[in-house]
Amino acid sequence: MAGWNADTAAGPVGAGTITLVEGSSFCISSANGDIHPEQPHGVFHEDTRILSRWDLTVNGQRLEALTAETKEPYRALFIGRVPRSEGYADSHLIVERLREVGGGIVEEITVRNYSTAPAECTVAIGAESDFADLFEVKEARVQRRWKESRVADADSLTISAAWHDVRKGIVVTGGAAAVGHDGLSYQVLVPPHGEWSTMLRVAPFTADKAEPEGRFAAQTAGELSPSDRRRQEWVAKIPKLHMGNRSIERTLRRSYDDLGALRIEDPAHPERIVVAAGAPWFMTLFGRDSLWASEMALPVDPSLALGTLQTLAERQGKVVDPMSEEEPGKILHEVRLGVSTGLALGGKSVYYGSVDATPQFVMTLGSVSRWGFAKDTIAALLPHADRALDWVRTYGDKDGDGFVEYARLNDQGLINQGWKDSWDGINFADGTLAEPPIALCEVQALVYTALLSRAWMAYDAGDAPLAARLTEEAAQLKKRFNEQFWIPDRGYFAVALDGKKRPIDACASNMGQCLWHGIIDDDKVPQVVERLMSPEMFSGWGVRTLASNMGAYNPASYHNGSVWPHDNAIIAAGLVRYGYIEEAQRIATALLEAADYSNGRLPELFCGFDRGQLAEPVPYPTACSPQAWAATTPIMLVTSLMRYDAHVSRGGFWMDPVLPESYGDLHITNAPMAGGRMTIDITGSEPTVQGLPEGIVFHREHRPWLTELVAEAGLGKTQ
């Protein structure tokens, strides 16, 4: 993921912060629940900070934080105590704040009195909104000054603001409160060993939406909140699992919850659900991230990938625009809603500076086509896939050397435009930064899979000549790749070719992703695997992004020695593909064990310190959590070791499990397959399947790879 050009990592939110997320909304607060405007805190909705200050005092005292527990990704309970004015350590007043986010926030405040005497309390809530762009907050550079107005009436405080022709506002409501221009307050008498509570709501509105969001209308007692109902609907449609290893089961369930919370709607097509990239700063549609996350989540909910493809297709590049880096056929990098053009990448709400999202679009469409959607649904996306491949051949390969490379088109764009998109993410073995245009190894692998995916879809639709041409194109790419990216004296693949077509000789994890695509010649695979699992690359918690003996190595960097869970999930799947089961199990187990140290949730990344040096994985300070492709990593790790896949047009469901014994037995119900639901049991590596839809046959082997399918169809050699 990426933000500003100089530093694509998420901005620091500070120690002890709590992040809640639901759809396109999120909330960042301190451990006691307060939101401070001088910090990158706030309630954010559609990339705007709608609440910049939200603090609670009791008798003029801020709460001393005791604990904060995230109940669901969108709900947390904060517990604090009121400091005693005379300075004694213990307080009789305990305050609970139960907060839910989603469009705005709902917060229930409860004051409990553990004294034998009644307690007179002034409970005050201060509220402010600066309506700042997400990027302004992230970079601590709030620029716009809105013309603000505040209206306090009997039961609510309305804060509205104008900047040029833009109008935004919030409404703060609370039962039986005294409403002032600064916030709401209550004068209460809490009985001995008793309690007092109230409910507050903050809801946004805009000039074209005069009324606040309906999801925050008052609920009757016992009624589920909209977020709870949305979660309930999600849980009902996804697989339910039980595992002998309860720790892994907890991690997978946490992944399901986070994936559910990261779902957002296409504003133009609410029925299309896509996956946001991650919290706190990337709660929006990203090309690369959303495609990868939905691809990894196919066994959980294939419709996420379809919705992502359809949404990206509508925003596919049409013109040449050097500022936004839009080009005909290109798939976008990110979308921002309501962000000032001076702050967004490329100066517009949509930025296209991604070299890998375009071939990845074709790859994911190929994957989705195997999962049983209607033929006309897939057919409607094929012209977009063809335009994407046209971009690959023209704008993606401007110098005509047969490889896709990138170089930013303006100085506001990203310097590096692959998944390692930090400014220093691509370097030589001695640490020297690579100069563009840069052709990344994994991007060539993505193009290879994209060509084969489109070839198979053409063959499936009866167009054998097109399938044969694409297959031959893929074969030639594989040949060139193995000739020009392989560094014989090092025994591994170059991470990329630089602007002078020199192999960039750093030993990096990128080549591990190439395994999954099958672009690596069989005779080179053993050396690649040996490098990936070497002490310099494998930290004990996962494969590092960069080997520890490289010049740019830094275990606490964003891309130069850290461990990224999604990167490892793709590598592990590639190892399974080539039959390196023990190595894949080692990576999967290490990552699932790492999740234990963060309550079952894998973060975006963690530091690359060696497990022999430190007994726990070291958090990366600004890692997103939850983050989409980290949330889907446990799913991909387990399904890869299950060798679990489908190809509905061929009438098959494939599974041949190689789960480690330590994972225990696995029981899955409600698993989606070709419009039906099936039940899977794996006991001691022996699988059974019940409830397969009519016409689907279970095969105990790996699903035929695209290379095998095109060879079987007689479409040509893929090397």
Side-chain angles (χ1 to χ4, degrees):
M1 283 183 297
W4 285 88
N5 175 51
D7 178 11
T8 56
V13 295
T17 54
I18 303 298
T19 300
L20 302 177
V21 57
E22 172 68 357
S24 59
S25 303
F26 65 94
C27 173
I28 307 172
S29 69
S30 59
N32 72 351
D34 283 349
I35 291 169
H36 304 289
E38 69 277 7
Q39 300 289 332
H41 293 174
V43 176
F44 297 79
H45 180 61
E46 294 184 348
D47 291 335
T48 296
R49 180 160 69 175
I50 63 169
L51 201 60
S52 55
R53 182 171 72 89
W54 183 253
D55 51 30
L56 172 65
T57 61
V58 178
N59 297 332
Q61 301 282 334
R62 293 186 185 275
L63 300 183
E64 176 188 357
L66 294 176
T67 190
E69 180 177 295
T70 302
K71 301 290 188 180
E72 285 86 24
Y74 51 85
R75 180 185 290 120
L77 175 64
F78 303 86
I79 300 179
R81 63 180 180 178
V82 182
R84 293 182 66 143
S85 57
E86 66 271 28
Y88 292 108
D90 288 333
S91 168
H92 296 302
L93 294 176
I94 304 296
V95 180
E96 298 177 4
R97 307 171 74 172
L98 183 62
R99 177 178 300 162
E100 179 180 323
V101 66
I105 60 169
V106 174
E107 183 164 320
E108 183 179 19
I109 298 172
T110 302
V111 181
R112 302 187 189 278
N113 179 13
Y114 289 94
S115 170
T116 56
E120 293 185 2
C121 297
T122 300
V123 180
I125 298 94
E128 291 179 4
S129 179
D130 59 5
F131 302 105
D133 287 344
L134 175 144
F135 285 131
E136 292 181 292
V137 179
K138 176 180 180 290
E139 297 297 322
R141 55 170 89 187
V142 177
Q143 298 175 357
R144 290 183 291 178
R145 293 292 178 266
W146 295 71
K147 184 178 179 181
E148 181 188 286
S149 65
R150 289 174 175 247
V151 177
D153 58 27
D155 60 359
S156 65
L157 170 64
T158 300
I159 304 174
S160 56
W163 183 77
H164 296 274
D165 58 348
V166 180
R167 302 286 188 275
K168 296 186 179 184
I170 61 168
V171 176
V172 184
T173 57
V179 182
H181 281 78
D182 294 329
L184 287 69
S185 64
Y186 304 84
Q187 299 293 330
V188 300
L189 184 68
V190 186
H193 296 292
E195 64 183 61
W196 168 89
S197 65
T198 190
M199 185 77 76
L200 296 109
R201 293 176 173 82
V202 180
F205 64 89
T206 58
D208 59 349
K209 189 185 294 184
E211 294 298 321
E213 299 240 346
R215 64 183 292 124
F216 288 100
Q219 294 163 220
T220 59
E223 182 185 0
L224 290 175
S225 73
S227 296
D228 283 330
R229 287 198 298 272
R230 185 170 182 262
R231 178 176 183 271
Q232 194 175 73
E233 291 166 0
W234 166 247
V235 169
K237 71 181 294 190
I238 62 173
K240 297 173 177 61
L241 66 89
H242 297 280
M243 248 182 142
N245 187 314
R246 297 301 185 210
S247 173
I248 298 176
E249 179 183 297
R250 177 184 71 158
T251 294
L252 285 165
R253 290 186 174 182
R254 185 72 181 266
S255 292
Y256 289 174
D257 266 356
D258 286 343
L259 182 60
L262 290 167
R263 293 172 301 146
I264 57 177
E265 296 174 356
D266 178 350
H269 299 276
E271 75 282 0
R272 292 182 190 166
I273 306 299
V274 303
V275 184
W281 306 121
F282 304 105
M283 289 306 302
T284 186
L285 176 66
F286 272 64
R288 176 192 310 118
D289 299 58
S290 299
L291 284 168
W292 260 127
S294 60
E295 171 104 23
M296 296 161 78
L298 279 169
V300 172
D301 183 4
S303 69
L304 292 176
L306 179 61
T308 299
L309 288 165
Q310 291 171 327
T311 304
L312 290 171
E314 288 205 346
R315 292 164 172 80
Q316 189 171 21
K318 296 179 177 63
V319 300
V320 174
D321 183 347
M323 282 306 296
S324 68
E325 305 203 42
E326 180 181 358
E327 291 166 334
K330 197 174 187 181
I331 298 299
L332 63 84
H333 173 64
E334 67 176 273
V335 176
R336 290 296 179 180
L337 301 173
V339 174
S340 168
T341 56
L343 296 172
L345 284 165
K348 294 188 176 182
S349 61
V350 181
Y351 175 63
Y352 287 82
S354 166
V355 71
D356 45 7
T358 306
Q360 193 177 350
F361 175 91
V362 185
M363 177 189 80
T364 301
L365 177 58
S367 299
V368 166
S369 73
R370 296 198 310 268
W371 279 81
F373 291 99
K375 285 188 177 295
D376 58 347
T377 300
I378 301 301
L381 290 166
L382 289 179
H384 297 278
D386 292 335
R387 287 198 288 273
L389 289 177
D390 286 342
W391 177 88
V392 164
R393 300 181 186 104
T394 54
Y395 297 97
D397 181 18
K398 288 184 172 69
D399 61 6
D401 70 340
F403 296 125
V404 172
E405 54 267 317
Y406 64 85
R408 64 177 178 169
L409 302 182
N410 66 81
D411 60 8
Q412 284 185 253
L414 292 169
I415 292 174
N416 285 312
Q417 299 191 351
W419 82 265
K420 292 181 178 177
D421 53 8
S422 51
W423 66 275
D424 61 348
I426 306 300
N427 44 74
F428 286 85
D430 64 2
T432 304
L433 293 179
E435 293 292 332
I438 293 171
L440 294 165
C441 66
E442 78 275 14
V443 170
Q444 316 318 313
L446 276 165
V447 172
Y448 177 72
T449 296
L451 291 167
L452 291 179
S453 297
R454 185 65 185 95
W456 178 257
M457 288 186 285
Y459 178 78
D460 216 19
D463 191 346
L466 174 60
R469 289 197 302 272
L470 291 165
T471 300
E472 177 59 23
E473 191 176 347
Q476 291 303 315
L477 173 59
K478 181 174 182 177
K479 182 175 184 293
R480 287 193 305 272
F481 174 82
N482 282 274
E483 289 172 351
Q484 297 185 45
F485 279 77
W486 181 246
I487 309 175
D489 58 334
R490 302 246 178 175
Y492 57 78
F493 281 89
V495 65
L497 305 181
D498 74 353
K500 296 179 180 178
K501 305 303 176 186
R502 297 176 302 177
I504 301 171
D505 59 352
C507 184
S509 63
N510 304 56
M511 64 179 172
Q513 294 198 15
C514 295
L515 289 170
W516 188 69
H517 297 278
I519 196 172
I520 296 177
D521 285 343
D522 289 351
D523 64 331
K524 298 177 178 64
V525 172
Q527 292 179 78
V528 170
V529 174
E530 182 180 356
R531 287 288 182 174
L532 291 171
M533 303 308 296
S534 68
E536 292 78 23
M537 285 294 285
F538 187 72
S539 74
W541 297 112
V543 176
R544 297 182 177 99
T545 46
L546 188 69
S548 60
N549 57 352
M550 295 292 107
Y553 172 72
N554 175 357
S557 70
Y558 198 52
H559 285 133
N560 288 323
S562 53
V563 173
W564 285 65
H566 90 281
D567 188 29
N568 276 262
I570 300 167
I571 292 170
L575 291 167
V576 170
R577 172 173 186 153
Y578 280 93
Y580 288 85
I581 304 303
E582 183 180 339
E583 290 81 359
Q585 291 174 335
R586 189 179 173 196
I587 290 173
T589 301
L591 283 167
L592 294 170
E593 288 174 349
D596 278 344
Y597 293 94
S598 49
N599 297 316
R601 173 188 282 168
L602 283 170
E604 177 187 22
L605 73 155
F606 44 87
C607 294
F609 294 103
D610 194 88
R611 190 169 183 171
Q613 179 186 3
L614 296 163
E616 298 183 10
V618 177
Y620 183 78
T622 61
C624 286
S625 184
Q627 196 252 12
W629 57 19
T632 50
T633 286
I635 298 168
M636 189 175 192
L637 289 171
V638 172
T639 53
S640 293
L641 292 175
M642 292 170 69
R643 293 195 277 204
Y644 179 116
D645 213 333
H647 201 142
V648 173
S649 68
R650 289 174 59 85
F653 166 64
W654 283 262
M655 185 171 58
D656 188 14
V658 287
L659 294 166
E661 187 178 342
S662 61
Y663 290 19
D665 296 342
L666 177 60
H667 176 67
I668 301 174
T669 59
N670 204 44
M673 180 56 56
R677 298 282 163 170
M678 60 182 179
T679 297
I680 298 168
D681 283 286
I682 300 175
T683 304
S685 293
E686 289 297 319
T688 58
V689 182
Q690 300 175 33
L692 277 172
E694 185 177 351
I696 301 296
V697 176
F698 169 50
H699 303 276
R700 187 174 177 182
E701 56 185 338
H702 76 85
R703 177 187 59 78
W705 299 101
L706 287 171
T707 49
E708 297 169 332
L709 287 172
V710 297
E712 178 184 313
L715 297 176
K717 297 180 180 179
T718 57
Q719 301 295 318

